[in-house]
Amino acid sequence: MKDLAEALALVLEGIEPLETETIPLTEARGRVIASEAHAAIDLPPFDRTAMDGFAVRAADVAPGAELRVIGDLAAGGATVAVEPGTAARISTGAAIPEGADAILKVEDTEVRNGTVIASADVPEGLHIRRRGEDLHAGDVLARPGDVLTVPRLSALASAGVAHVRAPRLPRLDLIVTGNELLPAGAPPEPGKIYESNSLVVTSMVSAVGANVVHHPPVADDFDATREAVERGLAGDILVVSGGVSVGPHDHVKPAFEACGVDEVFWRVRIKPGKPLWFGRRGKTLVFGLPGNPLSAIVGTAMFVLPALRSLRGEADVQPRLVKGRLGEPAGPSDHRTTFLISKLVPDADGVLVAWPTERQGSHMTGALGESDGFAIAPHGSGPLPAGAEVELLRL
Ligand code: AMP
Ligand code: MG
């Protein structure tokens, strides 16, 4: 049995980001940039006004000064030259006209018969956004491995970047197994349970970024499982839920073997999720997740998502754990790193405090509904007191 960190290292070992493609920025949200992106232009690209008002020569302006209005400059429109004794009406974003060196804001003016009367002084440069004060052409906007978040997209778009290179989106095939599985919306049947893992795994991997290919649910039958696995091996990642234990109806491991998937490990020192299986066939990464819903969630968060991030080319591929404290004593059980279903509530200092729910267990999806994720009690830690610092898996 592997420790969590050792198992994760084995999963990540040797994964290379997928081949890159050029994509328009409009399709790049959440993708990972593969090469440095540089500003194509200065930002602002020219001196422009931050205010609606009048472009003036600062030396001309004092309370009571009268200036002849010689034009009306809109953002993106034509310009004029501002001579001594004149002013040009100007709207936010328009280029500062030749001759002007300050903006008299509209609130400090009164207009009468083609003349503007100032009611305030303006120092030189007032309300002018200078060319290049934000960025210079050539400045680095994103580095390889950066995820294209909304703030980064805004920077790239405004600096004139229209396309980026990014590793292609990984294809993740998802198969759920089990004779007992009922699809959502079906009437309840004796001995059957509602299938939830495909929804949960899809939600988790889609939030990171993958093309999910759903396969029809597979009965607990060797041939059916083998055929489904063979079809599912066409992508970058195959996730199979259920059937990876040692029962007489668990056909997933033999099916992996029959399809030529090489086992890297089976079983991890975690609770829930111990019978997790990982292997590879060629470049395809293959995960067998235990079917218990909490095991599937923990396995996805701790192994599938890091592998996915790695294929996507992300710089930081580690599970997204945050630090927090236990609200009450808790600890690992069965000498395994234990994921305790917890409410995570910030205290007065903003520290996230984990309050484990009374119900704990890999099947306790009801308890999961009251929680915000898990507090992680490492396998070697022994009982932990209230206030102990722990890592949290926030969902
Ligand atoms: P298994 O890993 O196939 O032995 O399944 C372990 C437990 O998880 C059993 O109680 C299954 O009924 C349940 N289970 C398996 N697959 C799913 C699924 N897709 N959705 C919800 N529960 C499942
Ligand atoms: Mg099963």
Coordinates of all heavy atoms in Angstrom, one line a residue, residues 177-180 220 242-243 249-250, ligand 2:
T177 N -19.4 1.7 -13.2 CA -19.7 0.3 -13.2 C -20.6 0.0 -12.0 O -20.5 0.6 -10.9 CB -18.5 -0.6 -13.1 OG1 -18.0 -0.5 -11.8 CG2 -17.4 -0.2 -14.1
G178 N -21.5 -1.0 -12.2 CA -22.3 -1.5 -11.0 C -23.7 -1.9 -11.5 O -24.4 -1.1 -12.1
N179 N -24.1 -3.1 -11.2 CA -25.5 -3.6 -11.5 C -26.5 -2.8 -10.8 O -27.7 -2.7 -11.2 CB -25.6 -5.0 -11.1 CG -24.8 -6.0 -12.0 OD1 -24.4 -5.5 -13.1 ND2 -24.7 -7.2 -11.6
E180 N -26.1 -2.1 -9.6 CA -27.1 -1.5 -8.8 C -27.4 -0.1 -9.1 O -28.2 0.6 -8.5 CB -26.6 -1.6 -7.3 CG -25.4 -0.6 -7.0 CD -24.0 -1.1 -7.4 OE1 -23.9 -1.8 -8.4 OE2 -23.1 -0.8 -6.7
D220 N -21.8 -5.3 -13.9 CA -20.7 -6.1 -13.3 C -20.5 -7.4 -14.0 O -20.9 -8.5 -13.6 CB -21.0 -6.3 -11.8 CG -20.9 -5.0 -11.0 OD1 -20.0 -4.2 -11.3 OD2 -21.8 -4.8 -10.2
G242 N -15.9 2.4 -9.4 CA -16.5 1.1 -8.9 C -15.8 -0.1 -9.4 O -15.0 -0.1 -10.4
G243 N -16.0 -1.2 -8.7 CA -15.5 -2.5 -9.2 C -14.0 -2.7 -9.1 O -13.4 -3.6 -9.8
H249 N -17.6 -9.7 -7.9 CA -18.3 -8.9 -9.0 C -17.4 -7.7 -9.3 O -17.9 -6.8 -10.0 CB -19.7 -8.5 -8.5 CG -20.5 -9.7 -8.1 ND1 -20.9 -10.7 -9.0 CD2 -20.9 -10.1 -6.9 CE1 -21.6 -11.6 -8.4 NE2 -21.5 -11.3 -7.1
D250 N -16.2 -7.7 -8.9 CA -15.3 -6.6 -9.3 C -14.4 -7.0 -10.4 O -13.5 -7.8 -10.3 CB -14.4 -6.2 -8.1 CG -15.2 -5.6 -6.9 OD1 -16.3 -4.9 -7.2 OD2 -14.8 -5.7 -5.8
Ligands
MG2 MG -19.5 -2.3 -7.7

